[in-house]
Amino acid sequence: MANISILGLGAMGQALATRFLQQGHRLTVWNRTPDKAVPLLAKGAREVKSAKDAIAASDVTVMCVLDYAASAAVIDQAASALPGRTLVNLTNGTPAQARAMAERVTGLGAAYLDGGIMATPPMIGGEHALILYSGSKAAFDAHADALKDLGAANYLGTDAGLASLHDLALLSGMYGLFAGFFHASALVDSEGIPAGAFFKLLGPWMTAMMGELPGYAEKIDSGRHDKDVVSNLGMQAASLDNILTATREQGVATDLLDPMLDLFRKRDSAGFGHEDISGIFELIRRKSGK
Ligand code: FVH
């Protein structure tokens, strides 16, 4: 069993702490507002008065606070305890924030692992919990057994920004899916059809359309949007135009889908209407040299 410290006892920090205790680890906890540690003390955690004391208490410290401004504030208070320790920062942030934190923490003499939690607090320790890691490989290898108690642990590479990049990309896919769901539900709601009833049609349809994505991925990777085209972009631009016209006629807002039609039209006007809709990727990707 490992000695582990946790900094931050919000909803996620509580879930991480509870899981570590259930798995028999010796846990030291610290939170800016001390009363949040109370439920964990009864489960066997030891509370300390400062982030510095928490880092000093264990080889590895897991930090999970609101954002990187909060992370930086915690490190400001605890910098002198960092030499020789390992910090695993599971706070959500951007790749640039993760890289800057890695530089700062390693500069202070600690090993740094960044992480992206792909789970809600109740999912921690369950079969669907996934946590992405990047940064120090040696730190990941040394603490992988304990980290795997929280959920599947996927190490992505030594660049500390990679976990955040993958985390945010996965969440982007989720929000795109949610956007389609919310728009479709608003459209049927305009005629009094409940979202729950409509989902009996929408769910299987969305699942079937997921099957298109590996083919789009192939076209994106090869740059060949003209290959094996079944439903061309020009046709789909007209269809999306119909959807948005009907949306307005039904008195529903078009905000969620307007940007997609703009991209379809732009690509169509540039002469790619005969190609697949995966071609809009070329309009949004990072241009070389940037
Ligand atoms: N909850 C979720 O569903 C998601 C799942 C995926 C990962 N996220 C990220 O996890 C980070 C923490 O989220 P959380 O759910 O624990 O958030 P809260 O319950 O709001 O707790 C916030 C904790 O942060 C502490 N804190 C805030 N500012 C500071 C600061 N300046 N210095 C020190 N600590 C700070 C706060 O302390 P207190 O308010 O209790 O004193 C809480 O411990 C987050 O990055 C999610 O994106 C969760």
Side-chain angles (χ1 to χ4, degrees):
M1 292 303 105
N3 288 323
I4 302 171
S5 293
I6 295 209
L7 305 174
L9 299 173
M12 184 52 83
Q14 294 274 342
L16 301 173
T18 301
R19 179 65 182 165
F20 278 139
L21 288 168
Q22 282 167 352
Q23 294 303 105
H25 297 293
R26 288 175 292 274
L27 198 70
T28 302
V29 296
W30 172 82
N31 192 64
R32 179 181 61 173
T33 311
D35 60 355
K36 288 195 183 159
V38 173
L40 295 165
L41 303 184
K43 296 177 191 165
R46 181 172 79 100
E47 186 186 14
V48 289
K49 298 265 175 279
S50 68
K52 189 175 150 189
D53 289 347
I55 291 173
S58 305
D59 290 340
V60 60
T61 294
V62 174
M63 174 158 65
C64 189
V65 290
L66 185 63
D67 53 22
Y68 268 74
S71 295
V74 173
I75 296 305
D76 285 346
Q77 302 160 31
S80 63
L82 277 168
R85 307 288 168 180
T86 294
L87 182 70
V88 181
N89 189 8
L90 300 183
T91 303
N92 185 270
T94 68
Q97 286 173 325
R99 287 171 188 139
M101 182 63 79
E103 206 175 314
R104 180 166 183 211
V105 169
T106 53
L108 288 165
Y112 183 78
L113 254 188
D114 203 89
I117 304 177
M118 309 312 300
T120 59
M123 289 167 68
I124 292 301
E127 60 173 331
H128 298 300
L130 166 67
I131 306 187
L132 308 170
Y133 295 95
S134 61
S136 166
K137 174 83 165 73
F140 180 77
D141 290 342
H143 302 291
D145 285 345
L147 296 175
K148 282 176 188 164
D149 285 336
L150 302 175
N154 190 336
Y155 177 77
L156 295 163
T158 54
D159 171 359
L162 286 174
S164 158
L165 184 75
H166 285 72
D167 177 353
L168 299 181
L170 288 170
L171 292 176
S172 307
M174 176 189 83
Y175 284 121
L177 181 77
F178 289 177
F181 166 76
F182 292 134
H183 185 97
S185 298
L187 202 48
V188 292
D189 169 76
S190 68
E191 295 294 343
I193 299 162
F198 177 63
F199 190 73
K200 292 190 177 80
L201 285 173
L202 183 64
W205 169 247
M206 287 176 114
T207 303
M209 287 301 101
M210 286 279 289
E212 295 296 308
L213 301 187
Y216 290 155
E218 243 179 80
K219 290 175 188 188
I220 285 170
D221 289 342
S222 65
R224 294 290 310 274
H225 304 287
D226 58 341
K227 224 172 142 240
D228 305 327
V229 179
V230 177
S231 306
N232 70 61
L233 179 128
M235 176 282 291
Q236 296 212 50
S239 162
L240 187 50
D241 197 6
N242 281 339
I243 292 167
L244 292 184
T245 302
T247 300
R248 278 186 289 274
E249 288 169 357
Q250 292 295 125
V252 173
T254 57
D255 305 52
L256 287 171
L257 288 184
D258 281 335
M260 194 142 185
L261 181 57
D262 288 346
L263 290 169
F264 279 18
R265 283 184 174 147
K266 201 168 167 189
R267 183 82 177 161
D268 194 12
S269 309
F272 298 100
H274 61 290
E275 293 192 355
D276 215 321
I277 57 164
S278 53
I280 65 166
F281 175 82
E282 306 301 337
L283 298 175
I284 62 168
R285 76 185 306 175
R286 180 163 74 179
K287 304 291 177 268
S288 55
K290 286 196 177 170

